[in-house]
Amino acid sequence: MAKTTVPPGGAKETKAQILERTEREKVKFMRLQFTDILGTIKNVEIPDRQFEEALDGKIMFDGSSIEGFVRIEESDMYLKPDLSTFRVFPWAGQTGERVGRMICDIYSPDGTPFVGCPRATLKKVIALAAAKNYAMKAGPEAEFFLFQTKNGAPTTETHDSASYFDLSPVDMGEDVRREIVLALEAMGFHVEAAHHEVAPGQHEIDFRYDDVLTTADNISTFRFVVKNVAIRNGLHATFMPKPIYGINGSGMHTHMSLFTGGTNIFFDAKAQWQLSQTCLHYIGGILSHAKGFCAITNPLVNSYKRLVPGYEAPTNIAWSEKNRSPLVRVPAARGTGTRIELRMPDPSCNPYLALAVMLRAGLDGIDKKMDPGPPINKNIYKMSHRERRHLRIDELPGNLSEALDELEKDDLVRNTLGEHTFEHFLAAKREEWLDYIKHVSPWEIERYLGMY
């Protein structure tokens, strides 16, 4: 793996410093990265003679070719890089050339931010929070599977039989995880932990919480690095939420806290549970809008195969201090570390849109002083339906179609996304659902063919 350098403390480099670094580190190509509405990384790659023009935001691309962007008659879009995201990939190309990357915002030809740019959507919510003197910090726990490949195609065959926190030789993914961690650190990540997860072939790498925009950028970069390192080891990495029946799926538990200045305003030493009213109202907003933003945080047909009882994924809209069956958990740390953990998102989501709707829901809870009710410290999975109804514990949508119905009914989530993104996302996901329900699954053949 090639050596690379990262600016100390994530400091923002100037255009001149970036050009000097690319020359010093012999960077031949630059990837100008962005994401489409569904969260897929896209890029325009340019050679070194174009670097200066790229840094000035003068590189154009055809937006009509990107999912959910624009019609063909209004296709020209500009890529404006965020200079703080400049990194050099820690591996060289097949011919030995170094490749850099910058994450870009999308602009229209008239110089205005493109309304369908997911990064711009998140920036708007960040600005709304900043106007109230709030800054959101977020830290994800993104899980993934490593599978074997056959003739270059991915399979669902695992390369280990390990379980939670197991070590080699049972955990055959240990060396691959280490390689991923080294690559992430070379890209500027502060990795806090890496371990095997519950299911065979399932892994988790946790990186340090940060401001919400940096976290969204990091999630996108994380998925790219994991997949790239897996390929280099002859494996396939997938962030599909539930690739195998009967075992745990992959979640992306997201930790959130609000700061004013350097103070964590979720903490109140004198309050019940040492949680401030601001924190409780934020939780209230999350619970109130969870059904409405579920299609954004859990966007696939397959996402709802994970959100079922019995596999540690939440299905009930409640909060707790201790147990992990409700939607929102408050970890034990207090003081600066006070935070909430939303357990429903999965790693297939668009991180910019997911964090945008989560933050906006929490802010709405603060604005309207929403009461989350008392914490539910009993295992909800073991409650009867009648007991859950008595405690007014609602449930998340049972499938993507129901989630889309809830999305359409939630004006706050719709306004957060903006009309352009909302309409294109909804249309793409309705089409995905219709395609799914037309297919006949092996389960149906096995269940019904002989019987009927």
Side-chain angles (χ1 to χ4, degrees), residues 37-39 118 121 223 252 289-300 303-304 342 344-358 397 400 403-404 406-408 410 412-414 416-418 421-426 429:
I37 284 175
L38 302 183
T121 299
R223 294 190 301 207
M252 190 180 77
H289 293 286
K291 292 167 72 171
F293 65 64
C294 192
I296 303 298
T297 56
N298 305 78
L300 307 184
S303 295
Y304 299 85
L342 182 62
M344 67 192 276
D346 69 52
S348 70
C349 69
N350 181 324
Y352 300 100
L353 299 183
L355 285 165
V357 295
M358 285 188 261
L400 180 60
L404 294 173
E406 295 293 340
L407 173 63
E408 284 193 279
D410 196 311
L412 182 95
V413 177
R414 181 173 186 153
T416 301
L417 297 174
T421 297
F422 172 81
E423 293 291 351
H424 282 82
F425 181 89
L426 188 66
K429 291 299 167 179

Side-chain angles (χ1 to χ4, degrees), residues 234-259:
L235 299 170
H236 174 73
T238 181
F239 293 93
M240 180 180 177
K242 186 82 168 184
I244 301 177
Y245 165 76
I247 64 174
N248 285 30
S250 291
M252 190 180 77
H253 302 166
T254 303
H255 296 254
M256 293 175 275
S257 54
L258 282 187
F259 282 73

Side-chain angles (χ1 to χ4, degrees), residues 256-260 262-283 321 330-340:
M256 293 175 275
S257 54
L258 282 187
F259 282 73
T260 295
T263 303
N264 185 333
I265 59 173
F266 278 4
F267 175 65
D268 184 344
K270 297 178 181 179
Q272 189 177 17
W273 313 300
Q274 294 189 312
L275 301 177
S276 69
Q277 285 298 304
T278 301
C279 179
L280 295 175
H281 293 152
Y282 191 98
I283 294 172
E321 272 192 286
V330 180
R334 291 296 183 265
T336 304
T338 306
R339 63 195 186 275
I340 72 166

Side-chain angles (χ1 to χ4, degrees), residues 2-266:
K3 185 178 180 181
T4 189
T5 58
V6 178
K12 184 172 181 176
E13 294 178 280
T14 65
K15 173 184 171 182
Q17 288 173 322
I18 290 174
L19 290 173
E20 187 276 329
R21 270 191 68 198
T22 58
E23 186 173 354
R24 170 165 42 88
E25 299 188 27
K26 296 181 172 56
V27 177
K28 177 63 180 174
F29 295 98
M30 185 77 72
R31 286 183 170 179
L32 304 177
Q33 290 186 356
F34 58 100
T35 65
D36 66 14
I37 284 175
L38 302 183
T40 304
I41 288 184
K42 305 291 183 180
N43 81 102
V44 174
E45 188 168 270
I46 57 170
D48 52 3
R49 64 177 178 273
Q50 293 282 89
F51 286 179
E52 191 161 357
E53 190 173 354
L55 289 167
D56 289 333
K58 295 180 179 178
I59 300 297
M60 298 179 68
F61 74 101
D62 178 9
S64 67
S65 301
I66 305 300
E67 178 72 51
F69 269 28
V70 291
R71 298 184 299 267
I72 195 166
E73 64 269 21
E74 50 189 26
S75 59
D76 290 339
M77 313 293 287
Y78 283 91
L79 293 166
K80 295 209 171 186
D82 181 339
L83 301 190
S84 69
T85 66
F86 172 64
R87 298 289 185 273
V88 180
F89 289 116
W91 50 74
Q94 290 184 347
T95 56
E97 74 281 356
R98 304 299 305 281
V99 180
R101 81 96 206 265
M102 286 186 289
I103 296 175
C104 301
D105 295 306
I106 311 301
Y107 277 71
S108 300
D110 63 4
T112 59
F114 171 50
V115 293
C117 174
R119 202 167 186 263
T121 299
L122 177 55
K123 281 184 169 183
K124 286 180 181 178
V125 183
I126 292 170
L128 181 65
K132 302 174 185 292
N133 206 23
Y134 299 141
M136 179 180 170
K137 303 285 187 181
E141 298 176 357
E143 298 166 342
F144 59 93
F145 280 85
L146 291 173
F147 289 129
Q148 293 178 330
T149 59
K150 187 174 182 179
N151 299 323
T155 71
T156 55
E157 296 175 10
T158 64
H159 69 304
D160 70 59
S161 57
S163 186
Y164 205 49
F165 291 131
D166 277 350
L167 303 173
S168 60
V170 182
D171 174 11
M172 301 301 290
E174 190 174 82
D175 288 339
V176 180
R177 279 205 315 272
R178 286 175 179 159
E179 191 174 332
I180 291 169
V181 169
L182 290 173
L184 290 170
E185 289 182 334
M187 294 286 286
F189 281 63
H190 184 133
V191 176
E192 293 191 328
H195 60 85
H196 200 287
E197 260 295 338
V198 174
Q202 188 182 33
H203 305 267
E204 178 177 310
I205 297 174
D206 302 330
F207 44 93
R208 192 173 188 175
Y209 76 92
D210 214 320
D211 70 87
V212 66
L213 182 62
T214 300
T215 295
D217 288 339
N218 284 345
I219 294 169
S220 188
T221 300
F222 173 79
R223 294 190 301 207
F224 175 82
V225 169
V226 169
K227 284 181 169 290
N228 198 292
V229 173
I231 289 171
R232 291 168 183 273
N233 284 273
L235 299 170
H236 174 73
T238 181
F239 293 93
M240 180 180 177
K242 186 82 168 184
I244 301 177
Y245 165 76
I247 64 174
N248 285 30
S250 291
M252 190 180 77
H253 302 166
T254 303
H255 296 254
M256 293 175 275
S257 54
L258 282 187
F259 282 73
T260 295
T263 303
N264 185 333
I265 59 173
F266 278 4

